[in-house]
Amino acid sequence: MGTRGQLLRWASGIMVGLGTGHLLLTAMDRETVAGWVEGGVWAAVPLTGGGGESLANQLTFWAGPGSFAVPLILLGCLTWHLAGRGVAVPAGIGWGLAAWCLAGGVLLVPSPYFVGAVAGLLVVLASRRGDRPAAGGGAARVDL
């Protein structure tokens, strides 16, 4: 695996780690999650209604399974898979991830959002770098 693959593997590891950590933090709200299980999972988080219990359900949902943790894990897995095949992830994905994580890090300090920006920048570097052929090689470099 070349330089591009290594950068993408590091980026994907960061993404999967952040997403998984975020979901594990939600599991720490055992009281609310246990209430979902006891009351039946169907419509455990009602969109209407008031009261503190409804608000606690909504906060736990949007902080956990409804957050960007699951898509971040999926993006990390896709990046890992593409790295194994030698396919570059487009730089725009990296720039978007970096911008989202920088904005989140500024709004929520201290937080691990800034580590996500590192993953985004690694994707950008991987898309720019690529694996250059050895001297005298005839393959042309193509940036995706």
Side-chain angles (χ1 to χ4, degrees):
M1 182 178 312
T3 304
R4 177 187 310 181
Q6 290 172 341
L7 291 172
L8 289 176
R9 290 278 166 104
W10 273 102
S12 66
I14 291 170
M15 287 184 258
V16 170
L18 284 174
T20 303
H22 200 275
L23 288 178
L24 289 175
L25 285 176
T26 302
M28 294 174 74
D29 186 1
R30 294 174 195 232
E31 190 174 311
T32 303
V33 175
W36 294 352
V37 175
E38 290 171 5
V41 178
W42 183 259
V45 186
L47 296 177
T48 59
E53 183 179 323
S54 178
L55 180 60
N57 282 332
Q58 291 174 17
L59 288 173
T60 301
F61 173 78
W62 289 114
S67 72
F68 282 101
V70 173
L72 189 61
I73 292 169
L74 294 173
L75 179 61
C77 291
L78 176 63
T79 303
W80 185 278
H81 175 76
L82 293 176
R85 291 181 168 249
V87 177
V89 176
I93 299 296
W95 285 121
L97 180 62
W100 172 57
C101 288
L102 285 174
V106 167
L107 293 171
L108 183 66
V109 174
S111 77
Y113 263 110
F114 293 115
V115 179
V118 171
L121 294 176
L122 288 172
V123 170
V124 171
L125 286 173
S127 72
R128 301 283 185 232
R129 183 164 294 169
D131 295 327
R132 292 181 172 81
R141 179 176 163 228
V142 177
D143 285 333
L144 301 175

